[in-house]
Each structure stands twice: as C-alpha cells, then as structure tokens.
Amino acid sequence: MKVLISGGGTGGHIFPALSIANAVKRRQPDAEILFVGALGRMEMERVPAAGYEIEGLPVAGFDRKRLWRNFGVLWKLWKSLRKARRIVKEFQPDIAIGVGGYASGPVLKEAQRRGVPTLIQEQNSYPGVTNKLLAPKAKAICVAYDGLERFFPAENIIKTGNPVRKDLEECKITREDAKKQLGFDPDRLLVLSVGGSLGARTVNEAIAASLTALKNEGVQLLWQTGRYGADQFQGMAREYDNVKATTFIDRMDLAYRAADLVVSRAGAGTISELQILGKPVILIPSPNVAEDHQRHNAEALSTRGAAVMILDKDAVEQLPGELKRLLDDAEARADLSAHISGMAMRDADELIVDKILEIKKN
C-alpha cells in the first residue's frame, strides 16, 4: 500500500500526521509512506526525524491584511501545483491524506484530479477554507467535533477524534514522581504554560503578569515560552525560584503528568491531548488564525464546563485572578478534569486507519 500524507506548518498538524503514519505501519509494515510539506516549515525537520521521507512545496498562506503581497503567494501556489502534479504522478499513491496546512491543498487537489481516493483529517471544530473546498470529492472526512455537517457532506463524515502522541498516554508515573523528574517540589501545586513551539506573546505576557501572584500562592510554574521573546520572558523567570522557563519542552509526557493546571492556546491537537489526559485547563485562543477556529475550539469545551476560556484581549488582565481562583479550589479543578475527560476520543489513529483500509479495499 502506498500512502501520501500532506500538510503541516504547526505541531497541531504534524503530530496527527505522524500518528496516522505510525498506525499505518503497525497494521501494514510493508506500506510505503511519503509526506509532502511546505518548504521552510517545521515538518521538513520533524518528519525525517521520525523516520519518514518528505518532499517540500514552496507554498505559502494568503496574507489577508496586506493583499498586495499575494502576487508572490500566487506564484508559489502555481509552482506548488506543478510539483504536486509530479509527486502524485511518480509516487502513484493508493490513497492521499490531508491533515491541514498549506501543502495539503495542492496535493489533495491533484490526487482528486487523477482519481486517487482522498481522506481529510479535520482537527478543528471550525474547518479552514482548503478543507471545505476539498471535502466534496473526499471519500472520508475524519473529524473530532460534532456539527460539521454545516461544512462537509454528512454522508462522508466519520467522528474519530484527533490522533495524539502515544508517549503521552503511555506515561504512567505518579504526578509526584513527574514533578521530581522535572526538578520541582512534589508536594506543591504546579502550573504548566504552553503557547506552542514558536510561542504566544499574549500567553507569555499574561503569565508574566501572574508571576508574583503564583509565588505568593506558593505555586510552581513550568513555562514554555517558545522561540519568540524567549530572552525577555526567561529573563523574568530567573528572578523567581518557583519558576522554570524553557524555549521548548522535550518531555511533554512528564510535563502534562506533573501539571495540576494548564494554561494553553486552543489548538485542536493540544485540546485532544488535554481531553485524553483529563487536565484542567485555562484556554486563551489565538485570534490570529484562519476562521478564528481556536475560539470555536475553546467554546466547544467552555460551554460544557470542560475548560475555562479567556479571550486573548483580556488575558493579561484576567489570567492572574483565574489562576488564583482555580489553584485555591481543588473541587473546581476536579470538575474541569471530569468534564474534559468525558469529551475524550481514544484510538483515533486506529479508527482513521480502519477507514483508510476500507477505502483501499473498495
């Protein structure tokens, strides 16, 4: 079986793609898998590191604010469509899978043009333009939220959930031991703040505004600042003995396990991880994403009592108070944990591979 997987741009697209590829390999060890990503994006490093081949397209996203910049984007799109044509023709996949991100559009469009069956894995509660355009000709659309019949053909939707990294589920040590391994006091509460691999300035600024309050509460903080603004925020952290700040957390399995409360953006992949791990969370959705999908993701949880949502514009002002409220109230944290766990969908990667094999068979 030859499987073409396209997409990427962020960890939220790459981790599900790799989970699907790994599940295919578990079920069909002789399967041939080729990834297609966007040149210069993180998938060009992460996918080879996971042991898979990847081809890069010169594709880029449209600039919705500065429209004059899109002449270059259109040129890159034309070149990407030509390269996607060559890749599909030479690789001759049995199925093409799109996980979202810039590269998935040209590849799935070309696969559909050549009659190759396609499967879309939509992580968000509000899909992007590319997936909406590709959906009518897709054989299956694997989703994580209800209500997507508004955007996709209902007969092709299958609710699988989002695949998550296996190491997160397989980490079974106690919270106390996880804190010890990360260098924290096992008897004190720990807040984990994650804004993504590049960082999220508003989340970091809101955490910075909360540092004194956390110290006064006797609460510890593991702070993933991301790359942007790392020097500034990590410099602040050095003034507090209860804080460890780092650009990137290698052992997210330990970090999640150790956390009593999480502060995070509302990317679909992160939310799926939090659901499966049952972590109480304060979500600060990014306003700088297509179709404002992070706010829709966060609302899907907050309206069910499964998370606390603070809008980006209110985060610096409101986060310190929300942290104090939840850290002082173990019962409120337990309620959030119970509700978010109730939304978890497990074995999404296996369910998606079930569908891939069914499509291949037919």
Side-chain angles (χ1 to χ4, degrees):
M1 182 166 69
K2 299 179 91 170
V3 181
L4 192 59
I5 302 177
S6 62
T10 66
H13 295 310
I14 296 163
F15 293 132
L18 289 171
S19 294
I20 293 167
N22 292 339
V24 168
K25 278 291 190 182
R26 285 196 300 273
R27 302 272 285 276
Q28 300 260 332
D30 59 346
E32 222 181 305
I33 297 174
L34 176 65
F35 280 78
V36 182
L39 288 170
R41 305 292 289 195
M42 63 191 290
E43 58 265 27
M44 300 309 293
E45 294 177 13
R46 294 289 175 85
V47 169
Y52 295 101
E53 285 185 48
I54 186 166
E55 293 247 22
L57 304 182
V59 67
F62 280 93
D63 192 324
R64 296 166 192 236
K65 293 179 181 174
R66 292 159 293 193
L67 296 177
W68 67 89
R69 292 193 173 187
N70 289 320
F71 290 109
V73 173
L74 288 169
W75 171 243
K76 287 179 178 178
L77 178 60
W78 182 79
K79 288 202 292 184
S80 296
L81 285 165
R82 286 195 66 184
K83 190 167 184 181
R85 194 168 300 159
R86 177 185 64 76
I87 291 168
V88 175
K89 182 181 178 182
E90 290 178 2
F91 185 64
Q92 295 188 328
D94 294 298
I95 187 166
I97 299 163
V99 295
Y102 302 142
S104 65
V107 173
L108 262 71
K109 185 77 176 166
E110 180 58 23
Q112 290 177 346
R113 194 180 76 83
R114 287 182 170 271
V116 176
T118 57
L119 178 146
I120 293 169
Q121 201 265 313
E122 173 56 64
Q123 292 115 24
N124 294 294
S125 61
Y126 196 93
V129 173
T130 301
N131 277 354
K132 283 191 240 179
L133 291 172
L134 293 168
K137 291 186 178 179
K139 292 287 184 186
I141 304 136
C142 298
V143 303
Y145 293 91
D146 294 320
L148 270 74
E149 300 82 6
R150 292 175 294 156
F151 311 107
F152 300 139
E155 65 275 13
N156 292 335
I157 293 174
I158 171 169
K159 192 175 177 187
T160 59
N162 287 323
V164 303
R165 293 170 277 182
K166 286 292 182 193
D167 62 317
L168 301 182
E169 293 183 84
E170 290 165 358
C171 183
K172 301 298 184 189
I173 66 172
T174 66
R175 187 176 298 173
E176 290 72 25
D177 283 341
K179 286 178 185 176
K180 278 185 201 170
Q181 286 196 41
L182 293 168
F184 290 100
D185 183 340
D187 299 320
R188 293 164 62 197
L189 293 175
L190 175 69
V191 171
L192 168 65
S193 175
V194 283
S197 56
L198 297 179
R201 175 158 287 277
T202 305
V203 174
N204 284 334
E205 288 174 346
I207 288 290
S210 307
L211 289 174
T212 302
L214 290 172
K215 185 175 176 67
N216 292 341
E217 289 278 312
V219 172
Q220 305 169 107
L221 171 67
L222 177 54
W223 185 4
Q224 179 184 290
T225 62
R227 215 178 304 151
Y228 298 145
D231 291 343
Q232 174 193 353
F233 295 114
Q234 289 174 29
M236 291 180 186
R238 282 192 282 274
E239 298 174 24
Y240 295 83
D241 58 8
N242 62 319
V243 178
K244 289 183 190 296
T246 180
T247 306
F248 186 77
I249 298 171
D250 290 317
R251 291 293 306 274
M252 277 305 297
D253 57 333
L254 287 181
Y256 275 137
R257 194 72 180 161
D260 296 282
L261 180 63
V262 179
V263 178
S264 175
R265 283 300 200 195
T270 300
I271 285 178
S272 294
E273 291 170 354
L274 293 164
Q275 288 171 335
I276 281 173
L277 300 173
K279 287 291 163 181
V281 62
I282 298 172
L283 294 171
I284 304 173
S286 171
N288 307 311
V289 293
E291 281 79 41
D292 201 17
H293 67 251
Q294 285 206 6
R295 182 176 61 82
H296 293 285
N297 292 348
E299 285 175 344
L301 272 68
S302 63
T303 54
R304 293 169 172 83
V308 171
M309 181 178 77
I310 300 176
L311 294 178
D312 190 85
K313 65 183 176 63
D314 302 322
V316 173
E317 181 186 346
Q318 293 183 9
L319 182 64
E322 278 300 322
L323 281 171
K324 184 175 188 318
R325 179 180 73 81
L326 288 171
L327 291 165
D328 287 344
D329 191 342
E331 194 174 320
R333 295 198 307 275
D335 281 348
L336 287 172
S337 182
H339 285 110
I340 199 169
S341 291
M343 295 181 71
M345 294 191 69
R346 301 182 187 279
D347 300 318
D349 53 353
E350 296 292 342
L351 293 171
I352 291 167
V353 174
D354 285 344
K355 196 65 189 175
I356 290 169
L357 295 175
E358 181 190 314
I359 291 168
K360 166 82 165 58
K361 195 174 174 183
N362 295 332

